[in-house]
Amino acid sequence: MNDNKRTYTMKQIANLIGIDKTKVWRFIRDNNIHEYSKNGRALLFSEQQKARIIKGIKSSDVHSMNEQKNDSNLSDKELISVLKNELEQKNKEIDRFQKLLDQQQQLNLSSQKLLENQKSEQNIKNDTTQSPNMRSKGDSNDSDTNISKQNEKPSDETRESFWKRLFR
């Protein structure tokens, strides 16, 4: 070995590049770069090895950054398409629910009209049946009026107890 050559540790190489020592070690391990010499536990690399390591790490960093950008662009595009699909589905659901709501409102309106018609028919029938009863006032029973009084709901001020209403 020639002592005139300058050697570098992994930590020095990492400091020159501005990255972690572990990244330098991984690159050295993955690319089978053997140390120039050892100083205790520290691995020493020659100037040529240092240049090769720095060049390799920088090129792999640029490559990985480009891949990350492409991946993020792809994931953004995929996310946008997924969100668009979900938005379309939600709009379809809203339209469907709007139609169901319209149908429900129409059904309620038609049932209300039917009930009103039935009430008016019943009132007409009651009026026709009550007219003869009204003509003959002496025919009405006191028990009928008693029952109708019981069925009437008294106001809170004049409300009688259940037992009083029962035994009138």
Side-chain angles (χ1 to χ4, degrees), residues 8-10 25 28 35 37-39 41-45:
Y8 299 91
T9 63
M10 281 191 288
W25 178 81
I28 290 169
E35 71 275 359
S37 66
K38 281 187 178 181
N39 184 7
R41 287 181 45 183
L43 301 176
L44 301 175
F45 298 94

Side-chain angles (χ1 to χ4, degrees), residues 61-75:
D61 281 348
V62 168
H63 182 67
S64 67
M65 286 174 53
N66 286 338
E67 283 181 4
Q68 286 176 354
K69 285 181 182 177
N70 289 340
D71 288 345
S72 68
N73 286 340
L74 282 176
S75 64

Side-chain angles (χ1 to χ4, degrees), residues 109-143:
L109 183 63
S110 64
S111 4
Q112 186 178 11
K113 284 181 181 179
L114 282 174
L115 284 174
E116 287 176 2
N117 288 341
Q118 287 177 352
K119 279 184 179 180
S120 65
E121 287 174 8
Q122 193 175 24
N123 286 341
I124 291 171
K125 286 181 183 178
N126 286 341
D127 286 345
T128 57
T129 57
Q130 286 179 359
S131 328
N133 287 341
M134 293 265 181
R135 291 180 198 143
S136 59
K137 292 182 182 176
D139 293 342
S140 64
N141 292 334
D142 289 332
S143 62

